[in-house]
Amino acid sequence: MGTQGLGITFLTLPLIMRAAAGGQWCYDSQDPQCGPSHWKELKATCGGSKQSPVNIDRRRLQRDRGLGDILFEGYDQAPPGKWTLTNDGHTVMLSLASELVSEHITISGGGLPGRYRALQLHFHWGSPGGNGSEHTLDGCQLPMEMHVVHMNTKYQTLAEAKGHPNGLAVLGFFFQVSKTPNTNYNTIVAGLRNISHAGDSVDLASTFRLSTLLPRAGRLSGYYRYQGSLTTPDCSEVVVWTVFEEPVEIGREQLQAFVSTLHFPAVGSMLPKMTNNFRPPQPLHSRKVFASRAATASGGSPHRVPHQLLSPLLLLALLGPSLPTP
Ligand SMILES: *[C@@H]1O[C@H](CO)[C@@H](O)[C@H](O)[C@H]1NC(C)=O
Ligand SMILES: *[C@@H]1O[C@H](CO)[C@@H](O)[C@H](O)[C@H]1NC(C)=O
Ligand SMILES: [Zn+2]
């Protein structure tokens, strides 16, 4: 990919992965013969020991006080260029047409091993009757999940980044259904009708700040961190994962637009609806999932309450032998 623009890097990302897989991959809802249980036949890495997504068991988290706030830069400025929305055959992807802009949308801090620039974001969802997040919380799926994919700025190309365990950083956001629509998603939802077939792409009518797609800034301190992989072939184990506690709210009709508007590539004469485009949770093996300093779920850590907030009396009560363990 050499000196190609990031905007281009962006759009060719899924194509490269498909080529690398040495064959077609898909979700069971498109064709069970190339679904997630077959991916390791296309690419051995998909059967590796650090795969994503995972179930986040909130009773088994390990608190890491080094996981403070992530610094979001460029998330709060509307990019001068247009957002491009693409049906890549597996998901809906939002990318920037211009390299110069995406170079200025970065994340750092929060225990991330470096600075990372945004490449693209995309979604995973379910069916009219079922949730479709990739990560699960205490064994439960949420309705939808968004992934904002970033590449370590010390690498020049995606191929180079994929050679290092800290090459990519992906931010994962759960969605929750709210009574009212989330108007910040109007432009994306309206664009879905224009990309109902695989390969379709549209420049969105209006631009917007990336931060408007996230939960409120004050709610981003609580997150889970672990080392994993891309959740699609080639399943490279190069992703520092951050999954946020606070979900994004979205209206029921808006969620239905994702579930019912788009199509996978044709299978024979059938044109399957793009539904259930999630990979099921993978084994954690020896990995740990860490809770950020401000995450509310602490995994029963004895250090849950900051010491300076404990009155001597409460301390006595907490240490008392008659109390059940938290
Ligand atoms: C689907 O998500 C909702 C939260 O929006 C949750 O209450 C429900 O339990 C989930 N259903 C399943 C089957 O996981
Ligand atoms: C999207 O499709 C509608 C028709 O469904 C059309 O009127 C509109 O111009 C299209 N928008 C873009 C940006 O192509
Ligand atoms: Zn994803």
Side-chain angles (χ1 to χ4, degrees):
M1 299 187 330
T3 54
Q4 273 182 334
L6 249 193
I8 305 215
T9 308
F10 231 0
L11 290 171
T12 52
L13 183 67
L15 296 175
I16 286 160
M17 286 175 188
R18 225 171 292 165
Q24 276 298 342
W25 63 272
C26 71
Y27 296 101
D28 289 339
S29 46
Q30 180 187 354
D31 179 358
Q33 298 192 39
C34 50
S37 61
H38 295 281
W39 293 354
K40 56 181 178 294
E41 298 155 23
L42 299 167
K43 188 74 189 172
T45 316
C46 297
S49 58
K50 290 183 173 163
Q51 289 292 290
S52 294
V54 297
N55 175 46
I56 297 166
D57 182 343
R58 284 182 287 190
R59 294 160 312 177
R60 288 168 189 270
L61 295 169
Q62 183 165 321
R63 176 79 72 191
D64 181 347
R65 297 197 171 276
L67 299 179
D69 287 357
I70 291 170
L71 177 64
F72 293 84
E73 290 179 276
Y75 268 70
D76 237 345
Q77 285 131 34
K82 287 194 164 167
W83 291 108
T84 303
L85 199 64
T86 305
N87 175 343
D88 74 356
H90 306 292
T91 186
V92 167
M93 189 167 71
L94 184 76
S95 56
L96 273 171
S98 153
E99 152 189 19
L100 290 169
V101 179
S102 69
E103 252 175 43
H104 295 285
I105 305 181
T106 65
I107 52 170
S108 58
L112 291 169
R115 187 183 177 86
Y116 292 77
R117 63 178 177 233
L119 293 184
Q120 47 104 333
L121 66 83
H122 61 267
F123 303 86
H124 301 271
W125 59 85
S127 61
N131 294 346
S133 68
E134 294 211 299
H135 290 91
T136 54
L137 263 188
D138 298 331
C140 284
Q141 248 182 323
L142 281 100
M144 185 159 85
E145 185 171 334
M146 173 169 70
H147 291 157
V148 191
V149 182
H150 302 74
M151 183 173 90
N152 198 320
T153 54
K154 76 176 172 193
Y155 305 124
Q156 298 307 307
T157 65
L158 188 60
E160 189 188 356
K162 282 165 88 175
H164 303 270
N166 61 2
L168 301 176
V170 183
L171 306 183
F173 296 90
F174 292 120
F175 283 73
Q176 170 176 290
V177 175
S178 58
K179 291 206 179 72
T180 53
N182 181 340
T183 53
N184 293 331
Y185 274 81
N186 284 354
T187 308
I188 289 179
V189 169
L192 296 179
R193 280 184 299 138
N194 296 59
I195 56 162
S196 74
H197 294 103
D200 287 353
S201 189
V202 66
D203 282 344
L204 293 180
S206 52
T207 187
F208 49 82
R209 296 170 286 131
L210 218 43
S211 62
T212 64
L213 302 181
L214 312 187
R216 288 197 355 246
R219 295 285 176 81
L220 297 175
S221 304
Y223 59 84
Y224 312 117
R225 167 69 47 76
Y226 77 99
Q227 187 69 35
S229 75
L230 296 172
T231 67
T232 56
D234 57 10
C235 309
S236 293
E237 297 182 333
V238 297
V239 180
V240 180
W241 273 97
T242 305
V243 179
F244 290 86
E245 275 193 332
E246 180 79 5
V248 179
E249 305 229 312
I250 192 169
R252 190 165 298 281
E253 291 75 22
Q254 294 180 310
L255 178 64
Q256 282 314 304
F258 281 88
V259 169
S260 62
T261 311
L262 300 131
H263 296 89
F264 286 127
V267 180
S269 59
M270 301 216 308
L271 194 60
K273 279 261 166 78
M274 189 180 279
T275 58
N276 295 325
N277 58 349
F278 60 86
R279 184 190 200 189
Q282 304 297 302
L284 254 188
H285 293 299
S286 59
R287 291 175 291 172
K288 283 211 161 76
V289 181
F290 297 93
S292 71
R293 187 190 307 159
T296 55
S298 71
S301 154
H303 309 297
R304 179 157 35 195
V305 186
H307 292 144
Q308 60 270 31
L309 295 184
L310 289 177
S311 72
L313 204 61
L314 182 58
L315 198 58
L316 269 179
L318 282 175
L319 296 172
S322 61
L323 260 124
T325 43

